[in-house]
Amino acid sequence: MLNSGHEMTEGEGSAFRTRLKHLFADWKVRPFTPAENLFPSDLLKSLRQIGALDALLSVEEGGLGLASPRDGGRLLSLLLRRTGYLSLSLGRCLEGHVNVVRLVALYGTPEQRYSLATTLKNGVLAGIWVTDGEPSVRLRKDGETYRLSGIKGFASGVSEVGLALITATTEQEESVMLLVPTTDPARRRPGPGKLTGMQASGTGAYDFSGLTVSAQDILGSAGDYLRQPEFSAGAWRGSAVALGAVDRLVDLLREELLARKRADNPHQLCRIGEAMILQKTASLWVEQAAQAAGDCPGLSPEEVTATVNLARLAVERAALELITLVQRGLGLSAFVKGRAVEQVMRDLATYLRQPAPDEALTEGAAWFVRHDWPEGGL
Ligand SMILES: Cc1cc2nc3c(=O)[nH]c(=O)nc-3n(C[C@H](O)[C@H](O)[C@H](O)COP(=O)(O)OP(=O)(O)OC[C@H]3O[C@@H](n4cnc5c(N)ncnc54)[C@H](O)[C@@H]3O)c2cc1C
């Protein structure tokens, strides 16, 4: 687990919480804009203005240490959840940004940590692009330097991200992480095709072919990216973002039923109740996973991984069930393009496609089939 030294004070934490609360209240009432393929730059700017991006850095670097939380992940979870409510696309990008900060804090040299902090304080959005395109990204030694080849195929915020953490396969067939600037427009490629949802995330591809990097750009050692529990445990943050969209769908369901004077119908009341149960279930799982992934004494890496894996699947299931409920509850009006509810459902259904869900479920089950839950929960 990470040990970031100093912690934010209670006052700093509560001041940040207040700023986030005001931002959320302000953005929540803004009219819905149906231009779904526009990157949410204004919301990102607002998050920057309240110090949300700087807050991720460690206290020593001038932040609040939010990316390596000591509070059971509560404040980071709130930031991700609120961002996911306002824009799943930005939530996805913010989560990637947090992941980069964490991995550099875990595996980076002091120089790499300093360099990242300086870059991010200059307003750069970082991305984590590991999913390969065709051909996959490889790294080979070229005299004193290294040369990259290949394409990252699912690159969120491809036109916005200024620095990416990528994985590359070496000549020894090992996987290494690298920190690479990604500001060359000529290297941007169209993504995997037009996605049903999440278009505002600007998911494209980036061609690294011919780019020269040095040993200082390599982060950690071979295999670090997949090292547990960090590799799987980080998934709780993605679930926190999804939970934000769940919150929004529940609100949209209630608001529309009230506006159409259908909320008191017993069938609709059942759906509202079930929607709230799904929302709370997802929220409790996210809380549990955030705690497990944080500084939770006494949990083995296997238990952390298993807990977060099950949490990921629980949130996915709750979200998918909620989408069905909303469609049944609102009927055709939930299928009208240009309406918030329709877009949030499409974004959420797309967002929920995370890698290897079967494996996450069965690996979680494989641990808990022989181990009890921690007494009294976490
Ligand atoms: C909007 C968006 C933005 C994204 N941004 C980024 C980004 O910035 N960086 C990045 O790196 N990636 C990004 N991705 C990619 C993402 O991280 C996942 O790789 C991708 O969503 C995987 O989804 P999938 O459903 O195809 O997963 P898969 O893992 O392919 O799962 C699909 C199905 O196949 C099953 N399955 C998986 N493996 C096997 C196997 N070996 N044999 C048999 N069955 C198998 C699964 O259990 C599941 O049922 C993004 C994706 C989206 C949708």
Side-chain angles (χ1 to χ4, degrees):
M1 288 292 138
L2 280 174
N3 184 354
S4 62
H6 298 106
E7 286 178 60
M8 69 176 141
T9 64
E10 225 170 86
E12 286 168 336
S14 86
F16 180 74
R17 193 177 279 269
T18 306
R19 293 200 297 278
L20 181 60
K21 189 174 157 190
H22 288 145
L23 177 145
F24 185 63
D26 168 21
W27 274 86
K28 202 177 159 197
V29 294
R30 293 190 187 193
F32 170 72
T33 39
E36 61 182 280
N37 56 358
L38 286 185
F39 187 83
S41 305
D42 287 346
L43 178 55
L44 178 61
K45 197 168 151 202
S46 294
L47 285 170
R48 266 204 194 101
Q49 278 166 352
I50 65 156
L53 271 66
D54 288 347
L56 301 170
L57 298 170
S58 70
V59 173
E60 292 82 349
E61 290 160 344
L64 299 179
L66 275 201
S68 313
R70 296 266 183 90
D71 64 344
R74 278 194 293 278
L75 199 46
L76 177 60
S77 185
L78 190 68
L79 171 64
L80 294 169
R81 185 172 178 173
R82 295 300 186 236
T83 307
Y85 186 109
L86 299 171
S87 163
L88 259 185
S89 286
L90 188 62
R92 163 107 216 174
C93 294
L94 180 63
E95 196 285 315
H97 186 92
V98 176
N99 204 352
V100 174
V101 176
R102 254 193 94 83
L103 290 171
V104 173
L106 259 181
Y107 301 117
T109 59
E111 291 74 29
Q112 285 171 327
R113 292 203 294 271
Y114 177 78
S115 164
L116 181 76
T118 312
T119 307
L120 300 192
K121 278 185 203 162
N122 283 331
V124 169
L125 180 69
I128 177 156
W129 299 345
V130 296
T131 310
D132 276 310
E134 201 53 59
S136 60
V137 173
R138 299 193 66 92
L139 181 73
R140 70 177 168 79
K141 195 124 180 45
D142 188 10
E144 289 304 297
T145 59
Y146 293 84
R147 196 170 284 269
L148 283 165
S149 63
I151 295 177
K152 285 297 173 188
F154 271 92
S156 282
V158 72
S159 303
E160 322 292 327
V161 160
L163 178 81
L165 189 159
I166 62 167
T167 45
T169 308
T170 64
E171 288 154 298
Q172 294 73 38
E173 298 300 319
E174 292 176 323
S175 173
V176 292
M177 292 184 280
L178 294 141
L179 287 162
V180 196
T182 50
T183 46
D184 183 356
R187 293 182 173 278
R188 291 174 197 147
R189 304 277 179 266
K194 196 169 176 183
L195 291 172
T196 313
M198 296 293 289
Q199 284 175 34
S201 66
T203 300
Y206 198 90
D207 191 346
F208 290 91
S209 302
L211 212 69
T212 302
V213 291
S214 74
Q216 284 76 47
D217 300 317
I218 298 176
L219 182 69
S221 312
D224 276 348
Y225 176 69
L226 292 177
R227 208 169 294 292
Q228 296 290 20
E230 184 66 21
F231 174 64
S232 295
W236 82 264
R237 297 187 303 264
S239 297
V241 174
L243 177 59
V246 165
D247 292 337
R248 185 158 178 195
L249 275 186
V250 173
D251 283 355
L252 289 167
L253 174 69
R254 288 160 52 209
E255 283 161 15
E256 183 168 334
L257 288 176
L258 283 167
R260 290 167 72 185
K261 303 201 183 334
R262 290 183 167 190
D264 295 322
N265 173 285
H267 299 288
Q268 299 289 19
L269 281 173
C270 274
R271 275 192 271 280
I272 293 168
E274 281 168 14
M276 291 170 113
I277 291 168
L278 291 170
Q279 178 186 23
K280 190 66 183 174
T281 305
S283 163
L284 291 169
W285 270 106
V286 168
E287 196 183 314
Q288 175 119 8
Q291 266 185 53
D295 283 331
C296 198
L299 289 196
S300 65
E302 293 80 9
E303 186 157 359
V304 172
T305 304
T307 303
V308 176
N309 276 343
L310 293 190
R312 196 186 113 187
L313 272 292
V315 173
E316 185 200 58
R317 179 172 302 179
L320 292 174
E321 282 182 28
L322 178 62
I323 289 173
T324 307
L325 273 178
V326 171
Q327 289 175 343
R328 177 57 69 95
L330 301 184
L332 202 52
S333 102
F335 292 80
V336 178
K337 282 220 174 192
R339 302 194 68 239
V341 68
E342 191 274 338
Q343 193 188 311
V344 174
M345 285 195 295
R346 259 186 305 118
D347 282 347
L348 183 55
T350 309
Y351 178 95
L352 290 171
R353 299 306 103 217
Q354 301 291 330
D358 298 329
E359 193 179 75
L361 178 63
T362 50
E363 280 190 356
W367 170 262
F368 283 113
V369 75
R370 292 198 171 74
H371 301 85
D372 293 331
W373 290 102
E375 217 171 298
L378 284 166

